[in-house]
Amino acid sequence: MHPIPPKKMLIINILDILKRYSDEEHRLSQKDILEILENEYFMKADRKAVKRNLMDLLESGYDIEYSESTRIDKNGEEETIFTNWYLVRDFSDAELRLLIDGLLFSKHIPYNQCKDLIEKLKNLSNTYFNAKVKHIRNLPENLPSNKQLFLTIEVLDEAISNKRQVSFVYNEYGTDKKLHPRRNSEGEVREYIINPYQMVATNGRYYLICNNDKYDNVANYRLDRITDIRLLESPAKRMKDVTGLEKGLNLPTHMAEHIYMFAGDSFVVRFRAKCYLVGQIIDWFGRDVEFSNDSGDTVDVRVKVNEQAMIFWALQYGQHVEVLEPARLREKVKSAAFEIAEKYKA
C-alpha cells in the first residue's frame, strides 16, 4: 500500500510529468496527466485541478506550450478545451547528443566523472531521449586519469578572474601508468609558480596558456598533468610583460600557431602540399593560411607556426608535404626523416 501524497505535491508532480514525458513530438492531454498521476504518483485529481496547476506553472514562468480549441458541451454552450501540453526544453535532443558525444570522445575527463556527466545530460531530456541513447556506452576505463582535474579547473577559473598566481605540481606518466611529479636536480618535487591567462581545449585535451614566473615567455601546460594546485595571494604578471603577449592574447592566432601546444616562438614557414590536403591544412592552421602556385596536384602554403609543432606536423604528413623554408627547419625535418628511415632498414 503506497502512502497518499499530500495535495501540495500535485503541482510538483505535474511538472515532473511534463519533464519526463513531454516534448514537441509527445504532447499530453489533461487525461494523460491524470492517468500518469494515478498510476505512477498514486495521486488522484480532477481535470480542473490539473488545469489550474498547469496555469500556475505558466504564470510562474515555466516555458510550457499548449493548444486551445472550442467545442459545444451537452448544454449547447461553447467550451474551451486546453490540450497538447508539453514543456519546452532548454536543449534539443540533437544538442544533448552532441554534448554527450563530446564527453565520450574526450581524453581528459576521468572515466567515472564522464559517466556521471553523461547521466546528468540525459536527465535534461525525457524518457524518449533516454530510449534513443540507450545504446551509448562510455569508452572503457583504460586510460590513465587525474581525479583532481575538476578542482584544477575551478581554482584556475578563480585565479584568472581575479588576476592571481597559482602554484602546482606538474606530472608525467611513468610505465606504471601513474602520474609522477617532475623533480629538480636534487630530486625534490618541483613547485611551479604560474601566471594563468586562459584555459583552452584542443586535440581532446585541456591546456593552460600562461607564463612560468621564472621566465618571460608564453607557456602551455596540460590540465590533466597538474596536481596539488593552490591559489596564491600574489598578483599575476601582466600579459604585456610577457614576450608574445604584449598586445594581449589573440586566441585564434595562438591556437593556429601552436597546433600541438608546444611553447616557443612562432615564425613564417613555407611548404608544398598535395592539393587534397587543403581541407586538413585549414583545419590545423586556420583561415589565415596563404595558398599560392596551385598546379592542380600541389600547392604552396605559407603559415606562421611554432617550430617544434611544424616539425611534428611535417613528419605526420611526411609523404604528402615538403618543407621549403626556412632552410634550418627543412634540415631538421630532413634529419628526422633520415633517422626514421635508418630505424626501418632491413
Side-chain angles (χ1 to χ4, degrees), residues 70-79:
T70 58
R71 69 178 182 185
I72 306 299
D73 64 18
K74 60 183 179 181
N75 297 319
E77 296 180 359
E78 280 193 356
E79 180 185 17

Side-chain angles (χ1 to χ4, degrees), residues 292-321:
S292 62
N293 301 327
D294 184 351
S295 69
D297 178 49
T298 63
V299 62
D300 289 356
V301 186
R302 184 181 183 274
V303 298
K304 189 176 182 184
V305 65
N306 169 272
E307 180 180 69
Q308 192 62 38
M310 188 62 209
I311 292 172
F312 270 59
W313 191 88
L315 291 173
Q316 179 180 346
Y317 288 90
Q319 291 179 283
H320 315 280
V321 303

Side-chain angles (χ1 to χ4, degrees), residues 15 53 58 131 139 183 185 208 232 239 269 294 310 333 337:
L15 178 60
N53 281 277
L58 278 168
L139 297 175
R183 299 178 181 272
S185 56
L208 173 66
L232 304 180
M239 276 195 195
V269 173
D294 184 351
M310 188 62 209
V333 175

Side-chain angles (χ1 to χ4, degrees), residues 20 27 49 58 79 116 127 173 223 302 307 329 336 343:
R20 292 175 60 201
R27 307 183 185 205
L58 278 168
E79 180 185 17
D116 291 343
T127 302
Y173 281 105
L223 267 60
R302 184 181 183 274
E307 180 180 69
L329 176 63
K343 291 178 180 179

Side-chain angles (χ1 to χ4, degrees), residues 122-156:
K122 286 166 65 176
N123 289 335
L124 290 176
S125 192
N126 52 32
T127 302
Y128 311 105
F129 177 74
N130 287 335
K132 290 179 186 176
V133 296
K134 66 181 180 182
H135 60 282
I136 289 179
R137 293 292 182 271
N138 285 80
L139 297 175
E141 191 177 4
N142 61 359
L143 295 175
S145 61
N146 178 359
K147 295 180 180 179
Q148 296 185 30
L149 176 64
F150 285 2
L151 173 63
T152 298
I153 293 172
E154 185 178 333
V155 173
L156 285 173

Side-chain angles (χ1 to χ4, degrees), residues 8-244:
K8 62 184 178 182
M9 290 293 294
L10 180 59
I11 191 168
I12 295 173
N13 290 339
I14 289 174
L15 178 60
D16 193 49
I17 289 170
L18 291 173
K19 288 179 177 178
R20 292 175 60 201
Y21 292 106
S22 76
D23 57 34
E24 192 170 1
E25 296 178 1
H26 303 87
R27 307 183 185 205
L28 299 173
S29 66
Q30 289 172 219
K31 182 182 176 183
D32 294 329
I33 295 172
L34 283 168
E35 289 177 354
I36 297 171
L37 277 170
E38 183 170 356
N39 294 332
E40 297 188 25
Y41 296 82
F42 312 103
M43 177 174 277
K44 289 189 176 183
D46 56 39
R47 289 176 183 265
K48 289 183 179 179
V50 169
K51 178 186 172 184
R52 183 173 63 252
N53 281 277
L54 286 167
M55 291 303 180
D56 287 343
L57 288 171
L58 278 168
E59 290 177 9
S60 298
Y62 286 95
D63 196 357
I64 299 171
E65 293 288 340
Y66 62 94
S67 59
E68 294 183 33
S69 60
T70 58
R71 69 178 182 185
I72 306 299
D73 64 18
K74 60 183 179 181
N75 297 319
E77 296 180 359
E78 280 193 356
E79 180 185 17
T80 302
I81 303 298
F82 298 86
T83 190
N84 294 327
W85 298 87
Y86 70 94
L87 183 68
V88 178
R89 304 282 163 177
D90 291 331
F91 294 94
S92 70
D93 286 355
E95 290 169 333
L96 286 175
R97 181 59 191 266
L98 185 63
L99 292 171
I100 288 173
D101 287 347
L103 287 170
L104 285 170
F105 292 109
S106 68
K107 300 174 184 176
H108 52 272
I109 301 176
Y111 175 81
N112 286 332
Q113 290 171 321
C114 184
K115 240 173 49 169
D116 291 343
L117 284 171
I118 288 173
E119 286 303 314
K120 289 177 181 179
L121 286 172
K122 286 166 65 176
N123 289 335
L124 290 176
S125 192
N126 52 32
T127 302
Y128 311 105
F129 177 74
N130 287 335
K132 290 179 186 176
V133 296
K134 66 181 180 182
H135 60 282
I136 289 179
R137 293 292 182 271
N138 285 80
L139 297 175
E141 191 177 4
N142 61 359
L143 295 175
S145 61
N146 178 359
K147 295 180 180 179
Q148 296 185 30
L149 176 64
F150 285 2
L151 173 63
T152 298
I153 293 172
E154 185 178 333
V155 173
L156 285 173
D157 191 51
E158 184 176 352
I160 294 169
S161 297
N162 295 295
K163 295 181 171 60
R164 287 162 61 182
Q165 291 184 322
V166 296
S167 71
F168 56 68
V169 172
Y170 200 63
N171 301 265
E172 295 172 324
Y173 281 105
T175 54
D176 58 0
K177 304 174 187 176
K178 295 179 180 179
L179 286 173
H180 298 276
R182 285 184 178 176
R183 299 178 181 272
N184 59 25
S185 56
E186 284 77 38
E188 300 169 333
V189 174
R190 288 176 59 184
E191 181 186 48
Y192 286 71
I193 306 296
I194 298 297
N195 302 294
Y197 301 122
Q198 182 73 50
M199 288 180 283
V200 298
T202 183
N203 298 328
R205 306 287 186 189
Y206 272 137
Y207 289 86
L208 173 66
I209 301 174
C210 59
N211 161 254
N212 187 318
D213 207 47
K214 289 184 178 181
Y215 310 103
D216 64 357
N217 60 342
V218 182
N220 303 306
Y221 293 96
R222 271 178 53 172
L223 267 60
D224 61 319
R225 302 287 176 87
I226 293 172
T227 57
D228 304 308
I229 191 167
R230 291 189 301 118
L231 181 65
L232 304 180
E233 294 296 328
S234 47
K237 187 185 296 182
R238 299 176 302 178
M239 276 195 195
K240 66 180 183 180
D241 296 328
V242 177
T243 303

